[in-house]
Amino acid sequence: MADNRLTASVKWVDGLTFVAESGSGHQTVLDGNSPGTAPSPMEMILMAAGSCASVDVVSILEKARQKVVRCECTVTGERVGATPNVFKAIHLEFIVTGHDVAEKHVERAVALSADKYCSVAKMLEASVAMTHSYVIRAA
């Protein structure tokens, strides 16, 4: 039976700066100051959503044999404005650049990521309004 647990540790450096390490040994710095010297924990949530969804979109487009040369995901989060200042809405916009990339494939890839595959977005959508859009650019 597969172990479905992931682990991470977070160690205080100084001030409001921390080093987070994944169970696989990768490290990143986080900063609770605004603005700080590193991403804040809430910015990391946006980056996690964008990167998780981007993995899906690129993978799906590659399987559809689309000639993608670049995929960027711009993530915008709107917070409630009171403590706890959680996200109430997050929008992911994919900018897909390639050669003769078919809109139907990009639309399908974004929809599949949003509706089925992106673990981070699926987890967030329980309490956050998640929206998606895309732009296709010629390489």
Side-chain angles (χ1 to χ4, degrees), residues 2 10-11 14 23 27 33 36-37 41 46-47 57 61-62 93 98-99 102 115-119 128 131 138:
V10 179
K11 296 177 184 166
D14 63 24
Q27 294 184 339
N33 291 305
T37 59
L46 295 180
M47 294 188 315
V57 169
L61 290 173
E62 285 180 342
E93 180 178 56
H99 303 284
D115 298 337
K116 186 174 182 179
Y117 293 117
C118 180
S119 303
V128 178
T131 56

Coordinates of all heavy atoms in Angstrom, one line a residue, residues 2 10-11 14 23 27 33 36-37 41 46-47 57 61-62 93 98-99 102 115-119 128 131 138:
A2 N 0.6 2.2 -0.9 CA 1.4 3.4 -1.0 C 1.2 4.3 0.2 O 0.1 4.4 0.8 CB 1.0 4.1 -2.3
V10 N 9.7 23.5 9.0 CA 9.9 25.0 8.9 C 10.7 25.4 10.1 O 10.4 25.1 11.3 CB 8.5 25.7 8.9 CG1 8.8 27.2 8.8 CG2 7.7 25.3 7.8
K11 N 11.9 26.0 9.8 CA 12.8 26.4 10.9 C 12.9 27.9 10.9 O 13.2 28.6 9.8 CB 14.1 25.8 10.7 CG 14.0 24.2 10.8 CD 15.4 23.6 10.6 CE 15.2 22.1 10.7 NZ 16.3 21.3 10.1
D14 N 15.5 34.2 11.7 CA 15.5 35.4 12.5 C 14.4 36.3 12.1 O 13.8 36.1 11.0 CB 16.9 36.1 12.6 CG 17.2 36.7 11.2 OD1 16.4 37.0 10.4 OD2 18.5 36.9 11.0
G23 N 9.9 17.2 2.5 CA 10.4 15.9 2.8 C 11.4 15.3 1.8 O 12.2 14.5 2.1
Q27 N 14.6 23.2 -0.3 CA 14.4 24.3 0.6 C 13.9 25.5 -0.1 O 14.3 25.8 -1.2 CB 15.7 24.6 1.4 CG 16.2 23.4 2.2 CD 17.4 23.8 3.0 OE1 18.1 24.7 2.6 NE2 17.6 23.1 4.1
N33 N 7.3 39.3 6.9 CA 7.2 40.7 6.8 C 6.6 41.1 5.4 O 6.6 40.3 4.5 CB 8.6 41.4 6.8 CG 9.2 41.3 8.2 OD1 8.7 41.7 9.2 ND2 10.4 40.7 8.3
G36 N 8.8 41.6 2.4 CA 10.0 41.0 3.1 C 11.1 40.7 2.1 O 11.1 41.1 1.0
T37 N 12.0 39.9 2.5 CA 13.2 39.5 1.7 C 12.9 38.2 0.9 O 13.8 37.7 0.2 CB 14.4 39.3 2.5 OG1 14.2 38.3 3.5 CG2 14.8 40.6 3.2
P41 N 4.0 33.5 3.3 CA 3.3 32.2 3.2 C 2.1 32.3 2.3 O 1.8 31.4 1.5 CB 2.9 31.9 4.6 CG 4.0 32.6 5.4 CD 4.3 33.8 4.7
L46 N -0.3 31.2 -3.6 CA -0.6 31.6 -5.0 C 0.4 30.9 -5.9 O 0.0 30.4 -7.0 CB -0.5 33.1 -5.1 CG -1.5 33.9 -4.4 CD1 -1.3 35.4 -4.7 CD2 -3.0 33.5 -4.8
M47 N 1.7 30.9 -5.5 CA 2.7 30.2 -6.4 C 2.4 28.7 -6.5 O 2.6 28.1 -7.5 CB 4.1 30.5 -5.9 CG 4.4 32.0 -6.0 SD 6.1 32.6 -5.6 CE 6.5 31.7 -4.1
V57 N -1.5 21.8 -17.2 CA -1.7 22.4 -18.5 C -0.6 22.0 -19.5 O -0.9 21.6 -20.7 CB -1.9 24.0 -18.4 CG1 -1.9 24.6 -19.8 CG2 -3.2 24.3 -17.7
L61 N -1.2 19.6 -22.8 CA -0.9 20.2 -24.1 C 0.2 19.3 -24.8 O 0.1 19.1 -26.0 CB -0.5 21.6 -24.0 CG -1.6 22.6 -23.7 CD1 -1.1 24.0 -23.4 CD2 -2.7 22.6 -24.7
E62 N 1.2 18.9 -24.1 CA 2.2 18.0 -24.7 C 1.6 16.7 -25.2 O 2.0 16.2 -26.3 CB 3.4 17.8 -23.7 CG 4.3 19.0 -23.6 CD 5.4 18.8 -22.6 OE1 5.4 17.8 -21.8 OE2 6.4 19.5 -22.7
E93 N -4.5 33.0 -14.8 CA -4.5 33.3 -16.2 C -3.3 32.6 -16.8 O -2.2 32.9 -16.5 CB -4.5 34.8 -16.5 CG -4.5 35.0 -18.0 CD -4.6 36.4 -18.4 OE1 -3.7 37.2 -18.0 OE2 -5.5 36.8 -19.2
G98 N 3.2 29.3 -28.5 CA 3.6 28.2 -29.2 C 3.4 28.4 -30.7 O 3.0 29.5 -31.2
H99 N 3.6 27.3 -31.5 CA 3.4 27.3 -32.9 C 2.1 26.6 -33.2 O 2.0 25.4 -32.9 CB 4.6 26.6 -33.6 CG 5.9 27.1 -33.3 ND1 6.4 28.3 -33.8 CD2 6.9 26.7 -32.4 CE1 7.6 28.6 -33.4 NE2 7.9 27.6 -32.5
A102 N -3.7 25.1 -30.9 CA -5.2 25.1 -31.1 C -5.9 25.6 -29.8 O -5.7 25.0 -28.7 CB -5.7 23.7 -31.5
D115 N -10.9 21.4 -13.1 CA -12.0 20.5 -12.7 C -11.6 19.2 -12.1 O -12.3 18.5 -11.4 CB -13.0 20.3 -13.9 CG -13.6 21.6 -14.4 OD1 -13.7 22.6 -13.6 OD2 -14.0 21.6 -15.5
K116 N -10.3 18.7 -12.5 CA -10.0 17.4 -12.2 C -8.6 17.2 -11.6 O -8.5 16.4 -10.6 CB -10.1 16.5 -13.5 CG -9.9 15.0 -13.3 CD -10.2 14.3 -14.6 CE -10.1 12.8 -14.3 NZ -10.4 12.0 -15.5
Y117 N -7.6 17.8 -12.1 CA -6.2 17.4 -11.8 C -5.5 18.3 -10.8 O -4.6 17.7 -10.0 CB -5.4 17.3 -13.1 CG -5.8 16.2 -14.0 CD1 -6.3 16.5 -15.3 CD2 -5.7 14.9 -13.6 CE1 -6.7 15.5 -16.1 CE2 -6.2 13.9 -14.4 CZ -6.6 14.2 -15.7 OH -7.0 13.2 -16.5
C118 N -5.7 19.5 -10.7 CA -4.8 20.4 -9.8 C -5.2 20.2 -8.4 O -6.2 20.8 -7.9 CB -4.9 21.9 -10.3 SG -3.9 22.9 -9.2
S119 N -4.4 19.5 -7.6 CA -4.7 19.2 -6.2 C -4.8 20.5 -5.4 O -5.6 20.6 -4.5 CB -3.6 18.3 -5.7 OG -3.5 17.1 -6.4
V128 N -12.5 29.1 -1.5 CA -12.1 30.3 -2.3 C -12.7 30.2 -3.7 O -12.7 29.1 -4.3 CB -10.5 30.3 -2.4 CG1 -10.0 31.4 -3.3 CG2 -9.8 30.3 -1.1
T131 N -11.1 31.0 -10.3 CA -11.5 31.2 -11.7 C -10.2 31.1 -12.6 O -9.1 31.2 -12.1 CB -12.1 32.6 -11.9 OG1 -11.2 33.6 -11.4 CG2 -13.4 32.7 -11.2
A138 N 1.3 33.5 -30.5 CA 2.2 32.8 -31.5 C 3.6 33.0 -31.1 O 4.0 34.1 -30.7 CB 1.9 33.4 -32.9

